[in-house]
Amino acid sequence: MNPFAESVAGAAQLVAGGDPELLHIVGLSLTVSGGASVIATALGLLAGAAVAVSRFRGRATLLVLLNTLLALPSVVVGLAVYLLLSRAGPLGALGILFTPTAMVVAQAILVTPIVAALARQVIEDALHDHGEQLRSLGAGRLESALIVAWDERLALSTLALVAFGRAVSEVGAVMIVGGNIAGVTRVMTTAIALETSKGDLPLALALGLVLLGVVLSLNVVIGLLRQWRLAEDQRWSALA
């Protein structure tokens, strides 16, 4: 059996057998990315809605900055969080560097701009379509934003899944602030990088397969939600 086939067979055995190390790494990855996604979704939705309904000087510049943050390098985020949480940093007294908490902070900072930018676009487009009608009914900007946010709740809820998908596949920031410590801060992406460099290809491949499965599952759920929303819109259109 050639090395590739051996690696695939070993990876399949690890996944099917529920290898304890594999399960711990996957569990930590899901926990960290899940926590970061909850924080990022909450902050991003609030920020996106605020920008969507506000009109102020410098708004165009803010939008350019927000769109720029969509491509924020993860290693830059990791470095910034590291400097803040290091012993010499302003938040060093918290003592959370090289812990899962630091990883949650880094991923949340990385993902929040994505949620904010997408939420702003969704709410702004909805206000463009229905804002005049809502204003004619006496709704202010805040009330209009809340109404369209509820109407677009399915589209906005998918942003949480998008945030989780981005967070769980991130490697640079969590490597820097987590330290990739075995049993403490080692997640799927950092473990894949380490095990590949060590030559432990079965474990690296097994983690890669699980990571692909998670991302695939997220995309399937998002697709199903979009199809359900389209079917609901068509049903209400037929009733109208």
Side-chain angles (χ1 to χ4, degrees):
M1 185 179 294
N2 59 60
F4 178 77
E6 290 180 356
S7 298
V8 173
Q13 185 176 2
L14 290 174
V15 174
D19 179 72
E21 182 182 4
L22 176 70
L23 294 178
H24 181 271
I25 293 173
V26 172
L28 181 60
S29 298
L30 298 180
T31 301
V32 168
S33 298
S37 299
V38 170
I39 296 172
T41 300
L43 296 178
L45 288 178
L46 290 174
V51 174
V53 302
S54 301
R55 295 296 181 271
F56 52 87
R57 181 178 299 179
R59 184 175 184 273
T61 302
L62 179 60
L63 292 180
V64 171
L65 177 61
L66 185 60
N67 290 330
T68 301
L69 292 177
L70 293 175
L72 185 63
S74 61
V75 290
V76 174
V77 173
L79 176 60
V81 175
Y82 178 89
L83 293 174
L84 288 173
L85 298 179
S86 64
R87 289 187 178 182
L91 300 179
L94 296 177
I96 61 174
L97 188 62
F98 302 132
T99 68
T101 302
M103 298 163 67
V104 170
V105 172
Q107 287 191 354
I109 293 174
L110 185 65
V111 175
T112 296
I114 299 175
V115 178
L118 295 177
R120 179 203 66 83
Q121 190 64 57
V122 170
I123 295 175
E124 197 167 285
D125 289 345
L127 287 173
H128 182 268
D129 294 335
H130 308 294
E132 185 174 349
Q133 180 181 4
L134 291 172
R135 285 191 294 270
S136 68
L137 296 174
R141 287 184 176 179
L142 178 58
E143 291 83 359
S144 298
L146 292 174
I147 292 171
V148 299
W150 175 254
D151 186 59
E152 297 293 334
R153 60 190 180 278
L154 184 59
L156 294 176
S157 66
T158 62
L159 298 183
L161 299 178
V162 173
F164 182 81
R166 176 66 181 90
V168 78
S169 59
E170 192 280 323
V171 60
V174 293
M175 179 78 79
I176 294 174
V177 303
N180 199 21
I181 304 171
V184 181
T185 59
R186 185 164 297 170
V187 292
M188 284 190 283
T189 51
T190 60
I192 290 172
L194 177 65
E195 299 304 329
T196 301
S197 66
K198 290 167 52 181
D200 189 356
L201 298 182
L203 180 56
L205 187 56
L207 290 167
L209 292 175
V210 173
L211 183 59
L212 286 174
V214 171
V215 175
L216 176 61
S217 299
L218 290 174
N219 282 281
V220 169
V221 172
I222 292 174
L224 291 175
L225 288 174
R226 288 176 176 172
Q227 290 181 1
W228 180 80
R229 175 58 187 271
L230 181 60
E232 286 293 303
D233 289 343
Q234 292 175 347
R235 185 172 68 87
W236 283 110
S237 298
L239 293 175

